[in-house]
Amino acid sequence: MSTSADPLAALAALPGVAESVNAVRNAVDRVYGHRVMRRRSNEVTSEAALRGARGSAALAGADWALEEVRRRTDFGAEGEPRTVGAALRLTAEAGQLLSIWRQSPLRVLARLHLVAAGGVEGGVEGDEGVGRPRQSGEPVDEPLIGSDLPLPDADEVAGRLDGLARLLLAGSEAPALVTAAVVHGELLALRPFVSRNGLVARAAERIVLVGSGLDPKSICPAEVGYAELGVAPYMAALEGYASGTPEGMAVWIAHCGRAVELGVRESTAVCEALQRGAA
């Protein structure tokens, strides 16, 4: 990332990023202008939350059909049910943390991990490592990424998390898409917690998109788009982010932008269904 006074704004000037930002802005404006949003926006928000949670869980290895997520209640069981439950809890929690995010992003990240790891009979997953950055020697359980991406050590994680928080608190003229993509990419690259980093990273991105004013009603679930685009392109774009090169960063931001556009398409379809009385 650039060392200028506003490094996020510098990223916005990379080739192709302005086009992604404009495409996202236009797509978001269109869905917010849908006539259904005038009176039934709460329903669209609820449906977007459910679909976003399903998409995030799919990327974490629990690729359930939407109706399965809708009807199930047994999210405490081991394996995929617990992953889906974590995604649902994070989606519900994220909207409550906007004001805290503006004051202390690291506090919110700790809370998100605590929520993601909760819901386990008798406590939470790995009590010792929950709700705080991992310490030296602690393993990371993140099956999606595995060994494909080098894992920073605990000292590097602490330093980069602090840098990310300072960057966010300092403010930026960068578009919301750029800031959200950096938060998402940095958390995935760092994997600061012992588990559930992907779920936490996508929830943090959602907080940025909502809190920035780009998607104030949280109806544009990028998680849907990431799941639709697939794991392989997601990981390839993440490797671009982790490379730190201008080209790699631009690829990651464009991938995040496309995911938001697909999330908008999903909510547009929900609006159309509500208008027809089919949902």
Side-chain angles (χ1 to χ4, degrees):
M1 290 169 57
S2 169
T3 56
S4 67
D6 190 349
L8 293 177
L11 293 177
L14 292 174
V17 171
E19 289 81 357
S20 294
V21 168
N22 289 336
V24 166
R25 178 75 267 176
N26 290 336
V28 172
D29 286 347
R30 283 195 299 273
V31 72
Y32 270 84
H34 197 288
R35 62 186 302 175
V36 166
M37 288 296 296
R38 299 173 193 168
R39 296 185 178 180
R40 305 182 70 179
S41 64
N42 287 343
E43 293 172 71
V44 180
T45 295
S46 295
E47 193 63 23
L50 182 70
R51 294 172 187 232
R54 194 218 72 82
S56 193
L59 287 169
D63 191 1
W64 290 11
L66 179 63
E67 291 311 311
E68 185 78 356
V69 178
R70 200 188 300 278
R71 74 172 184 82
R72 292 276 289 267
T73 57
D74 55 328
F75 298 119
E78 284 286 352
E80 292 187 3
R82 187 174 294 174
T83 297
V84 175
L88 289 167
R89 290 193 302 274
L90 282 173
T91 299
E93 185 75 10
Q96 310 301 314
L97 298 174
L98 294 173
S99 61
I100 303 173
W101 177 267
R102 298 185 185 102
Q103 301 169 18
S104 178
L106 296 185
R107 181 180 166 195
V108 169
L109 293 177
R111 173 63 184 171
L112 289 175
H113 187 248
L114 183 65
V115 169
V120 180
E121 185 176 354
V124 295
E125 299 170 342
D127 287 353
E128 293 300 318
V130 168
R132 60 159 175 80
R134 56 185 168 84
Q135 298 175 355
S136 180
E138 289 184 323
V140 174
D141 180 15
E142 201 65 46
L144 171 65
I145 300 176
S147 60
D148 294 340
L149 214 62
L151 182 68
D153 63 30
D155 288 340
E156 182 179 350
V157 167
R160 286 173 62 175
L161 279 179
D162 183 67
L164 178 63
R166 290 176 183 272
L167 194 63
L168 294 170
L169 292 173
S172 173
E173 294 183 359
L177 172 65
V178 172
T179 303
V182 167
V183 168
H184 183 175
E186 190 71 355
L187 292 174
L188 280 181
L190 292 178
R191 282 147 288 166
F193 302 108
V194 295
S195 65
R196 308 294 189 194
N197 290 286
L199 294 176
V200 169
R202 291 183 288 275
E205 180 185 62
R206 164 67 23 216
I207 288 173
V208 174
L209 292 172
V210 173
S212 68
L214 176 66
D215 180 21
K217 294 183 181 293
S218 194
I219 62 167
C220 306
E223 304 91 337
V224 169
Y226 293 123
E228 182 174 337
L229 291 168
V231 170
Y234 186 64
M235 288 305 305
L238 176 61
E239 288 172 7
Y241 176 89
S243 74
T245 65
E247 296 80 8
M249 297 293 287
V251 166
W252 172 249
I253 294 168
H255 189 77
C256 294
R258 182 59 183 148
V260 175
E261 289 184 73
L262 291 172
V264 168
R265 188 183 70 180
E266 186 85 356
S267 285
T268 301
V270 170
C271 288
E272 294 294 328
L274 288 170
Q275 186 168 280
R276 294 192 308 269

